[in-house]
Amino acid sequence: MKVRYFLVSILALASSCAFASDTSPLQDFCVAVNDPNSAVFVNGKFCKDPKLALADDFFFTKFRYPGNTSNQLGSKVTTAFVDQFPGLNTLGIAMARLDFAPYGLNPPHIHPRGTEMLAVMEGTLHVGFMTSNQLNNTLFTKVLTKGDVFVFPQGLIHFQLNTGQTNALAFAFLSSQNPGLITIANSVFASKPPINVDALTKAFQVDNKLINYLQEQNWFDNH
């Protein structure tokens, strides 16, 4: 009997882990709408009445043109998440266009709610992700060229760097309608209010003057 209860507990735990991503929709679609009148609240958004849905709700045009990479990072990420593309609501997917100037960087960041698969369309990208402390912060890295694909597991720090002398273009596909974004440098050094300098000095084992300098910088968001 004890063995049976143990097996049931294991199965229950496995089932809870299996459904840790976006919940499955219980309808054909749920176009997000900001007006709560006569709407249903699903997956964090209000749904438009399905009878009022239009083809344009499932149509996105902002990937047609390159993003502006004239910034200190030399990159621009154009997102098609649920906030920009309402038709994605409840569908559990999202997408992004990544444009890079020569030597442009999409800095180390995390998507807390989604795995990312990156496909390179043009140029050369040096990409990588780091495992958690449990796996000794191991770096997995690769140089990608046109046609190559690389996957970044959900919740792990990752980055993309254009190592070529020409522009680079990639498209990212994510396993959540709202995968979220935490840019490491911005979160640590540009939080509001700022993190206590003594805490960062001890964490990074550097002089507090360096922490003060970093907190004074204008940390750019390329999204």
Side-chain angles (χ1 to χ4, degrees), residues 88-146:
L88 296 182
N89 198 39
T90 75
L91 301 185
I93 56 172
M95 192 173 172
R97 171 180 174 141
L98 292 78
D99 288 282
F100 298 85
Y103 308 109
L105 170 70
N106 189 21
H109 61 281
I110 295 170
H111 299 296
R113 294 182 294 275
T115 291
E116 174 183 342
M117 184 166 66
L118 185 83
V120 177
M121 300 290 103
E122 299 173 8
T124 302
L125 292 178
H126 171 62
V127 307
F129 69 85
M130 286 67 75
T131 63
S132 61
N133 295 10
Q134 185 179 7
L135 293 178
N136 301 316
N137 307 115
T138 304
L139 171 64
F140 289 84
T141 184
K142 204 77 175 175
V143 175
L144 309 182
T145 57
K146 183 177 180 179

Side-chain angles (χ1 to χ4, degrees), residues 191-204:
S191 65
K192 299 179 180 59
I195 299 174
N196 183 282
V197 172
D198 291 335
L200 294 180
T201 299
K202 183 164 289 188
F204 288 97

